[in-house]
Amino acid sequence: MLERVRDWLQERRQKLDLFDETLVARQDNPLYLMGPMLYYFWLVTVVTGVILMLWYEPTTTGAYTSIERIQNDIGRLALTFLGRPVTLGGLTRGLHKYGADALITITFLRIYRMYFLAEYKKPGELSWMLAFLGLILGMVSGITGYLLIWNQRAFWAAKVVLTVPVYFDELPLIGPLKFGSMIAFLFLGGPAVGQATITRFYALHFGISLVLLILVEVFFQRTRRKRINMSLFPLALFMVMLVVISIILPAESGRRADPTKTPLPILSDWYFLALYQYVKYTPPLWAGLGPGLLIGFGLIVPFLDRSKGRRPLERPFFTVVGALAVIYFLAFTALILFNIAVIERDPFLIMNITLVVLALGLFWELQYRRRRRQAAAAGISPPARAPAHG
Amino acid sequence: MSTPSPELMQRRKFLKLVTTLPALAAAAALVSPLLRFLKPNVEKFKIYAPTVQDAARGEVIAVATLKEVANPWDYKYFVFTQKYPQYTPEGFKAANVPGVVIKLPYKIALFDPATGQGPLRWVRDIGKTPKVTESDLIIFSRICPHLGCIYNFVPNFKEVTAGYGGYLPPPPRQHALMACPCHLSIYDPADPQVPGRVLSGPAPRPPRTFLYEIQGENIIATDVEPGGIA
């Protein structure tokens, strides 16, 4: 048993692909440039982040002021844009923020690509799981980084996120161990969001990227693969895009955090909006369990999907599940942006739509499999599949 | 060198196992000090419950005078300070609990001494007995019992309908309500059976309440219902 697991891991490790670096032959297809882009935006974010650390002050009293200072005073240039002075500090912060946004966007898109093209199938299971974990760590980096600004949006996001695990205490069996409260406490560093929280978030925000960067570097050293499979032109273009957007739309600071007042309306970072809408609909225990199950499903999907084909239409059920996830992500984001949430009506509706769509997906899958069996029995061979990459 | 016999491999496996166990035990023993590093006042080897012994002490304050909340639906916001035993320079870590005093149009039962029921039933758990058992004054903690945002007292229910997700209260409840900006939970402060009843939204329970006394002209908040993150 142990040997089989070891062999399995060995094989996947040899075929491990973190940033599409084994897909050099597919450079003509922008879908496969997402890996190198991911690594590039990550490096931009890390480098600018370290520069920001030179001026940032991780205290509840000084954080917001130091961010304002970075944005408006540090390295003031002799030019203005729309009456605002352009500063190197503001530029660095813009690169950090928009670089991180690009990073999350690319991670999402790459996850969807890997899902719909079934790249998680043998031998890509481990690559898929690491990509998925990367998305989660990226989102954790996002939420820990956001609190560092110490504005209203960040403060309430942190408090809400850290109150969610407290409800795990209601679970049977593991609930009475107070694991939920413990998780909340370890991140909060106290009974409320305060100085200890900002210190811990600062450490996590930097630590996640630092540790991952070292591990990835070890990986590149051992495999002798090229880090960024991308020509100079797109690299320069992306950098110019980041600089331009940082000047046109400087990163916002919002209002300073006020622990005694929650503003109305209040939104989160864009990639948490769908989850935020979901939290409005469900009892609080499910606010934590739902995303947990989603993460669990994502991680074990390579073992759930036993279909033979790799094309989306050759495995209808999982394609339907993926499409549903995309549609819900977009729809929930739209709903919260337009501030629509009829809590009496929507969850019931959404539940029914989900069940019906999943049932139809299952029906489609069964139909497809029966047709293939009939075709095989009639002696018609299926059209040759494109060879698996890797 | 001859190929090792199966028995030899078994022995090696056994020895490996024997050496692994102390290593695992050592790793487990490291977890306890690590947790105490994350939370200094946790007891030794209590790795499963680092949240015990965190009973907060509230600072007794006068939250309002009777004149300020003389008419029905008058309300006043205040901030109550709770101190938790923590390793800080002062020895205590303070957390703010915003609250609201509300004057209701009728009296409601806060605590039934015979059955121990009512919104103040938690008071017995902290070893006290409520002095005010029936009143038209009620004090809620403004920390949303859902996920910890600060909810608002909204004097006009139409503002709730307009700004908090389109909930229209039924006619008997068309008065001042309490509503949370984060996830749109809506509470009725004047429900005679369950003050703070959840009318809409994901909240699992009514907001937490304060224990209070009336001393002369002043309304004094002494304790807040434990639970949640301040």
Side-chain angles (χ1 to χ4, degrees):
Chain A
M1 178 65 200
L2 251 174
E3 255 111 68
R4 271 180 59 202
V5 171
R6 200 182 303 151
D7 287 349
W8 187 91
L9 264 179
Q10 188 97 33
E11 199 186 335
R12 270 61 179 184
R13 262 178 57 196
Q14 276 162 6
K15 295 277 165 81
L16 191 58
D17 179 302
L18 294 181
F19 299 100
D20 300 342
E21 69 276 348
T22 58
L23 303 171
V24 191
R26 299 201 175 193
Q27 275 241 350
D28 54 334
N29 187 342
L31 276 183
Y32 296 96
L33 279 184
M34 288 195 286
M37 276 163 79
L38 184 64
Y39 188 69
Y40 177 61
F41 284 126
W42 188 24
L43 281 192
V44 169
T45 313
V46 170
V47 171
T48 51
V50 171
I51 297 173
L52 288 174
M53 286 172 92
L54 299 178
W55 293 101
Y56 176 69
E57 189 190 330
T59 61
T60 52
T61 45
Y64 186 82
T65 322
S66 74
I67 296 277
E68 291 277 87
R69 194 156 154 259
I70 289 170
Q71 186 73 34
N72 299 319
D73 298 329
I74 305 293
R76 199 183 271 249
L77 298 179
L79 56 138
T80 57
F81 179 82
L82 294 178
R84 282 190 303 261
V86 177
T87 62
L88 287 178
L91 223 54
T92 315
R93 193 169 156 240
L95 288 183
H96 191 68
K97 189 221 182 307
Y98 292 114
D101 278 351
L103 182 68
I104 298 275
T105 314
I106 298 287
T107 315
F108 264 120
L109 292 177
R110 192 161 165 271
I111 292 271
Y112 283 137
R113 183 202 80 197
M114 293 176 91
Y115 185 86
F116 285 115
L117 298 181
E119 288 174 35
Y120 54 72
K121 291 197 171 181
K122 190 184 173 188
E125 292 102 327
L126 200 61
S127 304
W128 159 266
M129 288 159 102
L130 289 179
F132 204 81
L133 279 179
L135 175 68
I136 293 155
L137 287 175
M139 290 174 94
V140 172
S141 284
I143 205 156
T144 49
Y146 216 87
L147 182 75
L148 302 181
I149 305 174
W150 203 250
N151 63 8
Q152 280 284 53
R153 174 186 286 192
F155 182 89
W156 295 107
K159 190 165 178 194
V160 164
V161 165
L162 291 180
T163 310
V164 167
V166 174
Y167 284 95
F168 291 156
D169 292 354
E170 288 174 5
L171 286 173
L173 295 175
I174 58 168
L177 296 179
K178 299 266 178 203
F179 251 98
S181 303
M182 186 168 103
I183 295 169
F185 191 95
L186 296 187
F187 283 93
L188 282 169
V193 181
Q195 180 56 52
T197 320
I198 208 170
T199 310
R200 285 178 189 202
F201 273 37
Y202 193 37
L204 281 173
H205 184 65
F206 181 60
I208 289 173
S209 272
L210 183 76
V211 171
L212 288 186
L213 206 59
I214 292 171
L215 292 179
V216 165
E217 193 52 36
V218 168
F219 169 77
F220 277 128
Q221 288 288 336
R222 287 174 65 152
T223 54
R224 301 266 158 190
R225 287 179 190 156
K226 202 173 169 214
R227 286 173 186 73
I228 301 181
N229 275 316
M230 203 159 42
S231 49
L232 198 61
F233 176 70
L235 289 183
L237 180 71
F238 290 140
M239 183 51 85
V240 169
M241 282 165 73
L242 286 182
V243 169
V244 167
I245 194 149
S246 319
I247 293 174
I248 297 177
L249 279 175
E252 286 176 17
S253 300
R255 291 236 187 102
R256 187 192 291 269
D258 178 359
T260 58
K261 184 165 171 37
T262 309
L264 172 80
I266 182 161
L267 292 177
S268 62
D269 266 352
W270 62 268
Y271 43 90
F272 281 112
L273 287 177
L275 185 59
Y276 188 169
Q277 182 77 358
Y278 165 79
V279 170
K280 284 184 185 173
Y281 289 146
T282 50
L285 178 60
W286 280 93
L289 288 184
L293 289 178
L294 203 64
I295 292 169
F297 172 78
L299 285 179
I300 61 167
V301 79
F303 311 105
L304 294 178
D305 185 359
R306 312 305 302 173
S307 57
K308 297 281 188 301
R310 277 178 185 262
R311 291 183 194 159
L313 291 184
E314 287 174 341
R315 42 193 192 98
F317 181 69
F318 281 89
T319 304
V320 167
V321 171
L324 207 61
V326 177
I327 290 167
Y328 275 159
F329 184 82
L330 296 176
F332 277 22
T333 305
L335 280 177
I336 198 165
L337 285 177
F338 294 117
N339 199 9
I340 303 168
V342 183
I343 288 150
E344 283 71 38
R345 178 196 65 193
D346 296 355
F348 178 71
L349 214 66
I350 293 163
M351 203 70 171
N352 282 326
I353 292 175
T354 311
L355 284 178
V356 168
V357 171
L358 286 183
L360 286 177
L362 199 63
F363 181 69
W364 184 6
E365 174 86 38
L366 293 176
Q367 279 286 347
Y368 173 78
R369 288 193 179 184
R370 208 181 62 192
R371 265 207 315 276
R372 280 202 42 164
R373 266 202 309 278
Q374 282 169 352
I380 309 163
S381 63
R385 273 202 300 275
H389 66 74
Chain B
M1 284 269 287
S2 61
T3 47
S5 64
E7 296 93 75
L8 199 65
M9 289 305 285
Q10 291 258 311
R11 191 185 297 167
R12 180 174 294 170
K13 246 182 203 166
F14 173 74
L15 286 172
K16 264 187 184 170
L17 189 72
V18 166
T19 46
T20 310
L21 283 177
L24 281 179
L30 276 174
V31 172
S32 166
L34 176 71
L35 279 178
R36 268 184 293 148
F37 175 74
L38 291 168
K39 185 177 186 224
N41 62 350
V42 73
E43 277 175 54
K44 268 187 192 174
F45 301 117
K46 288 245 169 157
I47 56 168
Y48 56 89
T51 45
V52 291
Q53 50 162 263
D54 262 2
R57 259 186 7 203
E59 290 203 326
V60 177
I61 53 161
V63 294
T65 60
L66 286 175
K67 260 195 205 119
E68 283 173 311
V69 284
N71 302 313
W73 302 120
D74 280 354
Y75 70 102
K76 196 188 171 209
Y77 287 163
F78 65 92
V79 177
F80 183 79
T81 309
Q82 268 192 313
K83 292 196 159 180
Y84 292 82
Q86 297 282 327
Y87 282 74
T88 62
E90 302 88 39
F92 282 97
K93 195 169 223 169
N96 291 330
V97 183
V100 58
V101 194
I102 304 169
K103 175 86 170 181
L104 303 173
Y106 39 80
K107 287 197 173 200
I108 53 170
L110 295 177
F111 183 74
D112 184 349
T115 59
Q117 289 306 304
L120 292 180
R121 64 180 167 275
W122 54 272
V123 174
R124 276 199 178 162
D125 302 336
I126 63 167
K128 293 191 175 182
T129 25
K131 288 188 181 151
V132 185
T133 53
E134 197 196 42
S135 173
D136 48 4
L137 279 172
I138 188 157
I139 312 186
F140 288 109
S141 152
R142 278 175 66 215
I143 295 174
C144 186
H146 176 229
L147 292 176
C149 293
I150 308 298
Y151 66 77
N152 296 316
F153 181 85
V154 189
N156 186 346
F157 74 90
K158 283 179 185 152
E159 282 176 44
V160 173
T161 309
Y164 295 85
Y167 171 75
L168 184 69
R173 295 189 198 273
Q174 291 188 346
H175 49 63
L177 297 173
M178 306 191 293
C180 182
C182 282
H183 306 99
L184 314 178
S185 294
I186 294 161
Y187 309 98
D188 180 1
D191 188 285
Q193 277 80 45
V194 186
R197 183 192 289 272
V198 184
L199 298 183
S200 167
R205 49 161 292 169
R208 295 187 168 81
T209 47
F210 275 95
L211 178 64
Y212 69 93
E213 297 163 9
I214 292 174
Q215 293 179 0
E217 272 294 291
N218 287 321
I219 305 165
I220 314 276
T222 56
D223 295 275
V224 65
E225 182 172 357
I229 290 171

